[in-house]
Amino acid sequence: MKKIFLTTVVLLATTFMAVAADYSCYYKDLPVNIPQVKQPVLKEAQINIKDYGAVGDGKTDCTKILQNAIDNLSAKGGGQVNVPAGSWLVSPIALKSGINLHLEKGAMIILTPDRTKHMKVGATKPMNGISAQGCKNVAITGEGIINGNGIYWRAAKHSKYSNTEWDQLKSLGGITANKGNDEIWYPYNLKNLPNLAESVAKQESLRQSVVFFKGCEGAFISGITIIDSPKFHLELEDCSNLIVDGVHINCAWNAQNGDGIVLKTSQNVLIVNNTIDCGNDAISLKAATGKRAFDHKPMKDVVIANNTVVYAHGGFVIGSEFASGISDVCVYNNVLANTETGLRFKSYTSRGGKTDNIYIWNILMDKVKDEAIGFQTDYINEAIYKTEGSTGTDWIPEFQGIHISNVTCNKARIGISANGARGTVHNIDISDCNIAYSETNTDIDPNCEINVKNVTLRKF
């Protein structure tokens, strides 16, 4: 079988392809100059992991076969590794430069519930599910699914489950503990599955993301569905020339920290046409914490458009950490439904940085539990200048240079809120919006400087 694989690579390796799509339409008439993202160029060489010996029965471990296929094809200059219809059980997989991992319709990659298989010998934390680190021209495409098996990793709150669901959860094993008026279930001492750490608290801190790209130049993620993550579904850090197009993200509404797309300290990024239904923030921008900002470039030149959020805590979020700074971001033509907050900007001392040239327009919101638009620089109830371990002047957040317009919100509890110390929220423009609220039109601290113009706030 290996001889056939190598022959196929040699026959096709001379042909190249670019990820064929015209993304120029997303850069027309932007209020800030953002260079168009460059698409990755990949070879047309292809292999099918089934031809290489993989078995898609959902119980046979396909890790070595899939990883060998990726490694060998990358060594030949790259190409497409096809995952056909079937259920393919794997431990964490590392992509390589020049590789397009293509999941055909009906294909599901399932991460093993055995958490110990996510740990390399001598490692202090587990690997992410499907990762690409330091790669050039790398992609995940297709109509298939990546299943993170997050239920075996995440703690759960009884208050967020029906009694029937709670009994089903406890049938997996685990332990429970009371916290305040709630009962917490931890996936520790599960039936027939070994623990990953020596304590519940340690194991809870080791949750990883399903798809994780770091330090990649020229990356493309398109069409796939990512479900049930232990932590974040799609985490992207220190990448440049990155496109996320038409990805579907889904997990239970009560999944702890089940964020959708988390973008960190990256440049030249396009996030478009995605659908997100998740247990935490849908699309969030982060840019390092404190002194770690010195190890990263600022977040810059990002376009986020035509996305639909079905459920989430925050629809579009900046924070809580952005010490290396976030600038030149355009967010437009997005639908945010069933969120706790629509547009949210959150941080506190020791995690803050500075924003600038953030433009947000043409946003439709529906059924927002709390604020349609909210700024908070005392996030998690830590008073500004009094964060533990801070001198009171370290890494203070500064939300400024943010321009929000043409927001329609059909239902929210609060229209616009802003809370924080003087100088942490200023030079904010909100204009030409129509927001329906049930309790409070605005809750803006006198220390916060927000210019509200031609905004209709109507009680329903």
Side-chain angles (χ1 to χ4, degrees):
M1 297 302 293
K2 191 169 184 178
K3 183 177 180 181
I4 295 174
F5 162 70
L6 292 175
T7 301
T8 303
V9 173
V10 171
L11 287 174
L12 296 175
T14 57
T15 306
F16 291 81
M17 72 169 185
V19 177
D22 182 7
Y23 289 106
S24 61
C25 61
Y26 297 104
Y27 293 86
K28 292 180 179 178
D29 302 319
L30 296 181
V32 61
N33 183 28
I34 296 179
Q36 183 174 331
V37 66
K38 297 178 182 178
Q39 301 171 50
V41 178
L42 303 166
K43 288 186 177 180
E44 285 188 347
Q46 296 186 30
I47 64 156
N48 188 309
I49 63 168
K50 191 173 182 179
D51 293 339
Y52 213 50
V55 179
D57 59 4
K59 60 181 181 181
T60 302
D61 190 335
C62 301
T63 308
K64 290 184 179 179
I65 290 175
L66 178 53
Q67 189 64 65
N68 285 340
I70 290 169
D71 294 347
N72 291 339
L73 192 55
S74 179
K76 294 293 181 179
Q80 183 166 296
V81 176
N82 290 319
V83 181
S87 297
W88 310 91
L89 182 69
V90 301
S91 302
I93 295 294
L95 301 181
K96 298 292 179 65
S97 293
I99 291 296
N100 175 15
L101 179 64
H102 184 78
L103 281 67
E104 297 178 3
K105 187 174 183 179
M108 178 182 288
I109 291 178
I110 305 173
L111 294 174
T112 177
D114 185 348
R115 296 162 298 194
T116 61
K117 290 186 177 181
H118 293 245
M119 297 285 289
K120 285 185 176 180
V121 176
T124 58
K125 63 179 181 179
M127 297 173 284
N128 296 283
I130 308 296
S131 65
Q133 300 198 47
C135 296
K136 290 186 176 181
N137 297 328
V138 62
I140 305 177
T141 64
E143 299 179 70
I145 299 170
I146 302 176
N147 184 343
N149 253 331
I151 194 66
Y152 296 100
W153 293 81
R154 298 187 307 265
K157 296 180 179 180
H158 193 175
S159 60
K160 292 186 175 183
Y161 287 76
S162 68
N163 288 333
T164 299
E165 292 171 326
W166 190 249
D167 290 341
Q168 291 173 345
L169 198 61
K170 291 172 67 176
S171 71
L172 299 174
I175 63 173
T176 60
N178 292 325
K179 186 175 181 180
N181 296 323
D182 213 343
E183 183 181 16
I184 311 296
W185 175 84
Y186 296 96
Y188 197 79
N189 294 338
L190 294 175
K191 295 178 180 177
N192 305 316
L193 287 174
N195 291 321
L196 185 62
E198 65 279 4
S199 69
V200 175
K202 177 64 175 176
Q203 184 163 287
E204 180 64 15
S205 71
L206 295 177
R207 292 182 295 119
Q208 296 290 71
S209 299
V210 174
V211 177
F212 177 71
F213 280 28
K214 182 175 182 178
C216 294
E217 164 65 30
F220 184 69
I221 304 171
S222 177
I224 61 169
T225 297
I226 309 172
I227 66 174
D228 197 23
S229 178
K231 191 180 178 184
F232 305 151
H233 287 76
L234 180 54
E235 184 177 1
L236 310 160
E237 182 177 359
D238 294 337
C239 293
S240 60
N241 287 309
L242 165 69
I243 300 171
V244 181
D245 181 4
V247 171
H248 307 279
I249 291 175
N250 181 268
C251 72
W253 70 274
N254 47 19
Q256 297 291 104
N257 301 118
D259 294 56
I261 299 174
V262 179
L263 181 66
K264 302 178 176 180
T265 52
S266 296
Q267 302 79 41
N268 298 106
V269 179
L270 181 65
I271 298 176
V272 291
N273 308 317
N274 304 289
T275 303
I276 303 171
D277 183 353
C278 68
N280 210 302
D281 295 336
I283 301 174
S284 62
L285 306 188
K286 302 177 183 290
T289 305
K291 293 181 179 179
R292 280 179 284 179
F294 297 130
D295 299 324
H296 303 271
K297 293 180 180 179
M299 178 88 78
K300 194 174 186 295
D301 298 327
V302 179
V303 174
I304 300 171
N306 292 6
N307 301 288
T308 299
V309 176
V310 178
Y311 179 90
H313 287 192
F316 171 74
V317 180
I318 291 182
S320 60
E321 65 270 25
F322 62 108
S324 65
I326 299 176
S327 67
D328 300 327
V329 176
C330 289
V331 182
Y332 65 93
N333 292 356
N334 297 287
V335 177
L336 313 177
N338 299 297
T339 64
E340 292 191 0
T341 304
L343 303 175
R344 188 178 191 189
F345 308 87
K346 60 181 181 180
S347 192
Y348 59 98
T349 303
S350 79
R351 302 179 77 85
K354 185 176 182 179
T355 62
D356 199 16
N357 285 336
I358 311 294
Y359 290 87
I360 303 171
W361 72 97
N362 290 357
I363 306 296
L364 174 61
M365 302 182 195
D366 190 36
K367 298 178 183 177
V368 179
K369 179 183 176 183
D370 294 317
E371 300 96 341
I373 303 171
F375 294 85
Q376 185 180 15
T377 55
D378 55 357
Y379 178 56
I380 64 170
N381 297 320
E382 294 194 49
I384 198 77
Y385 303 132
K386 294 183 180 179
T387 303
E388 184 179 354
S390 170
T391 64
T393 58
D394 296 334
W395 304 102
I396 296 171
E398 186 179 0
F399 288 120
Q400 69 95 44
I402 298 175
H403 312 278
I404 301 170
S405 62
N406 294 304
V407 171
T408 298
C409 180
N410 296 326
K411 181 180 179 181
R413 185 172 65 86
I414 302 172
I416 303 170
S417 73
N419 294 280
R422 185 169 298 280
T424 63
V425 180
H426 68 100
N427 189 22
I428 309 295
D429 298 321
I430 302 177
S431 63
D432 302 310
C433 299
N434 192 317
I435 300 173
Y437 67 93
S438 62
E439 292 185 12
T440 307
N441 55 2
T442 61
D443 177 16
I444 301 175
D445 191 300
N447 289 321
C448 300
E449 301 173 19
I450 296 181
N451 179 29
V452 179
K453 181 180 179 181
N454 194 29
V455 173
T456 300
L457 294 158
R458 52 189 175 84
K459 190 168 185 177
F460 66 90

